[in-house]
Amino acid sequence: MAIQEHDPLLSVEHLSLSFETTESSVVVLDDISLAIGKDEIVALVGESGCGKSVTAMSIMRLLHSPPAQYKGGNIYFQGEDLLKSSDRHLRDIRGNRISMIFQEPMTSLNPVLTIGDQVAESLTLHNKLTKEETLKAVVDLLEKVRIPGARQRLKSFPTQYSGGMRQRIMIAMAISCKPDLLIADEPTTALDVTIQAQILELLKTLKRETSMSILLITHDLGVVAEFSERIIVMYAGQIVESASTRELFKTPLHPYTQGLLNSLPKLHNLETRLKTIEGYVPSLGKLPVGCHFHPRCSHVMPICRESCPPIIEIKQGHTCRCFLQSEACV
Ligand SMILES: Nc1ncnc2c1ncn2[C@@H]1O[C@H](COP(=O)(O)OP(=O)(O)OP(=O)(O)O)[C@@H](O)[C@H]1O
Ligand SMILES: [Mg+2]
């Protein structure tokens, strides 16, 4: 489904954020703009350390300040500017209208509380329910995320569940309040490929059933091909490309996106070795002058070493931050 330009569910506009200590100030998010439509699945992709989790945490306003400092921009959710919302109102929005699931479920689940109690807690946080209603709602939720024998397993502890099951529990807790937006930060990275596919399929089914929007964060472009409708590519604190999934796979414009796609295994080409992108992601505190990607780029031009390219819309719905494209546009 195409993004609804006029009234997106979430609209982040020119968001900049830095981490500041007495010794240093590091820009972690640089002019981030993205929008997620109602009922849409968007993927945020990029290598480790590029700022994906910080983007998610900054949308949820979960970053501690200090060190985090918003430097500019707006975050509109259902038309409301989250950067201007009170802490109390934000608490109401979090886990109610926007939910988040994290990469490593064990750090979010309490090891000494039973699964039943933890899911019940997330349910009763925003709803007043009797004991019987809570029990029924917990079992319903666990069945919804396909936990076999849900009723019998309520008194089990997180360590008695497998990694995939624990991630299902996290999903159950995240959807317990029927959020409008679910932010899933690397929900399947710690899982093996089969379980990973099952979890993504489950998220897709739940999205269809509840018509929530999903922002999926991952470093793996392969994962998003089947899952998301649109892809946003991040590199070193900036968005470098965004397009519909079909368009991005068919016509990747940024050399970084092209590198990510080339590093995916291809079914018909099992003999050749996987191509990797040469070099390393720069530390955000020591970014190169000019385009952040230029030291690793095989198309580098003199201008790339001098100034940072702006992000521009190359064609409708396809943006790119690369001088190769702006040259082409001139
Ligand atoms: N609380 C914090 N204080 C200072 N720096 C931080 C903090 N959280 C993250 N960073 C820095 O911000 C940058 C972006 O981190 P982030 O966690 O968003 O990366 P990521 O894209 O999610 O990577 P990964 O794929 O490894 O999860 C990193 O350089 C990280 O060290
Ligand atoms: Mg992360």
Side-chain angles (χ1 to χ4, degrees):
M1 182 183 158
I3 171 125
Q4 296 153 15
E5 298 267 353
H6 305 295
D7 190 18
L9 181 71
L10 174 79
S11 170
V12 176
E13 295 176 0
H14 306 291
L15 183 69
S16 294
L17 181 132
S18 58
F19 284 120
E20 304 205 345
T21 60
T22 41
E23 292 90 47
S24 67
S25 166
V26 177
V27 178
V28 185
L29 301 181
D30 180 8
D31 193 24
I32 300 291
S33 294
L34 58 92
I36 302 173
K38 199 171 156 11
D39 212 13
E40 195 184 28
I41 304 186
V42 177
L44 184 60
V45 183
E47 281 167 291
S48 188
C50 68
K52 304 181 298 293
S53 295
V54 171
T55 302
M57 303 281 270
S58 68
I59 292 169
M60 297 282 280
R61 294 267 317 266
L62 282 173
L63 294 165
H64 291 288
S65 177
Q69 290 287 336
Y70 289 92
K71 291 296 187 183
N74 303 91
I75 304 171
Y76 294 105
F77 180 68
Q78 293 174 328
E80 202 177 314
D81 190 348
L82 296 189
L83 289 183
K84 298 209 172 84
S85 301
S86 67
D87 287 350
R88 195 188 160 151
H89 188 53
L90 283 168
R91 272 198 299 278
D92 196 44
I93 290 177
R94 277 186 224 123
N96 201 2
R97 284 152 65 194
I98 309 180
S99 271
M100 189 158 169
I101 41 182
F102 299 90
Q103 178 171 351
E104 184 29 74
M106 256 337 259
T107 54
S108 312
L109 289 171
N110 185 338
V112 297
L113 268 186
T114 67
I115 290 297
D117 285 346
Q118 294 190 60
V119 178
E121 197 180 303
S122 69
L123 264 167
T124 48
L125 207 62
H126 297 281
N127 306 294
K128 288 222 174 325
L129 297 173
T130 65
K131 225 171 161 188
E132 289 72 39
E133 285 168 339
T134 308
L135 180 67
K136 183 176 179 310
V138 169
V139 173
D140 283 353
L141 258 178
L142 294 181
E143 283 173 351
K144 209 167 190 170
V145 296
R146 324 284 191 265
I147 298 282
R151 191 172 280 276
Q152 290 74 45
R153 306 200 62 177
L154 292 178
K155 295 219 177 313
S156 304
F157 291 92
T159 46
Q160 295 168 287
Y161 281 70
S162 67
M165 286 294 165
R166 286 200 285 262
Q167 198 52 287
R168 283 169 195 268
I169 305 290
M170 289 306 300
I171 295 171
M173 288 162 73
I175 61 163
S176 62
C177 57
K178 305 190 178 71
D180 299 307
L181 173 66
L182 177 70
I183 302 180
D185 190 356
E186 309 259 12
T188 61
T189 307
L191 306 173
D192 67 57
V193 198
T194 325
I195 310 291
Q196 186 170 330
Q198 288 172 1
I199 296 284
L200 291 177
E201 204 43 56
L202 172 68
L203 279 176
K204 235 177 167 168
T205 310
L206 293 172
K207 182 245 170 193
R208 268 197 303 272
E209 287 170 8
T210 60
S211 77
M212 62 186 170
S213 306
I214 299 180
L215 177 64
L216 174 76
I217 295 176
T218 174
H219 61 269
D220 184 352
L221 253 184
V223 158
V224 300
E226 295 288 315
F227 186 77
S228 67
E229 287 141 348
R230 222 149 40 79
I231 299 178
I232 298 165
V233 183
M234 263 189 104
Y235 186 78
Q238 295 180 323
I239 290 176
V240 296
E241 185 160 7
S242 79
S244 72
T245 304
R246 182 194 291 248
E247 163 85 5
L248 195 99
F249 272 77
K250 200 169 119 228
T251 324
L253 296 177
H254 199 285
Y256 177 59
T257 315
Q258 292 166 0
L260 287 179
L261 286 169
N262 281 335
S263 62
L264 290 178
K266 298 194 177 53
L267 262 186
H268 58 276
N269 209 359
L270 291 175
E271 294 300 309
T272 48
R273 290 184 57 193
L274 293 181
K275 292 194 185 104
T276 52
I277 306 174
E278 297 270 323
Y280 299 97
V281 186
S283 144
L284 292 177
K286 289 192 188 114
L287 289 175
V289 176
C291 169
H292 296 175
F293 186 62
H294 89 254
R296 303 174 76 187
C297 183
S298 52
H299 303 281
V300 62
M301 303 178 288
I303 188 174
C304 312
R305 298 193 173 93
E306 285 157 22
S307 45
C308 186
I311 188 151
I312 49 176
E313 188 162 39
I314 309 297
K315 53 177 145 163
Q316 210 196 349
H318 194 160
T319 63
C320 180
R321 185 187 287 279
C322 178
F323 284 123
L324 283 173
Q325 296 308 320
S326 36
E327 300 279 291
C329 283
V330 183

